[in-house]
Amino acid sequence: MTVLKGANLGLMFLLELGVLAAAASWGFTLDANPIVRIIAGVGAPAVFIAVWALFAAGGGTNARYPLTGPWRGLLEIAWFGGAAVLIGLAFAALAGIVFFALWAINGALRLLWHQT
């Protein structure tokens, strides 16, 4: 069971990286001039990083203003849901849905196994 719990935490880390990749991909693939794409490609992940660092980093232990309980859940829904939307916009809607489904399964297992 510890292997599965470790794998679930590893998946959480990969999903977090996926959020940043989704934000960057969306920004760099905008139908706009190159300057706007560069600003969006760098700025969008920076916004996601700032939000995560302020409210959720390190499971809340490293966050400046750690959120817990339902507030943490709402933050995760917005953070990973936002990434799912950006994946859908940059690539395909199905890819965004799969990303969000992976997060939902990961989140349910983290709750079940007290990994929050």
Side-chain angles (χ1 to χ4, degrees):
M1 186 63 113
T2 55
V3 171
L4 291 177
K5 288 181 179 182
N8 196 50
L9 290 176
L11 175 59
M12 177 66 174
F13 178 69
L14 293 175
L15 288 168
E16 290 172 9
L17 293 177
V19 169
L20 302 179
S25 296
W26 168 79
F28 287 124
T29 60
L30 281 176
D31 186 21
N33 71 54
I35 299 297
V36 171
R37 286 196 309 250
I38 291 169
I39 292 170
V42 173
V47 169
F48 275 88
I49 289 169
V51 169
W52 198 252
L54 286 172
F55 302 110
T61 59
N62 296 330
R64 182 90 155 139
Y65 308 102
L67 297 179
T68 59
W71 293 112
R72 168 67 186 235
L74 289 173
L75 172 67
E76 285 197 23
I77 290 169
W79 208 68
F80 290 99
V85 168
L86 294 179
I87 289 170
L89 291 172
F91 301 106
L94 181 59
I97 291 167
V98 168
F99 182 85
F100 195 76
L102 280 172
W103 168 78
I105 293 166
N106 175 266
L109 290 174
R110 282 185 293 121
L111 285 174
L112 179 68
W113 292 334
H114 305 286
Q115 294 180 308
T116 55

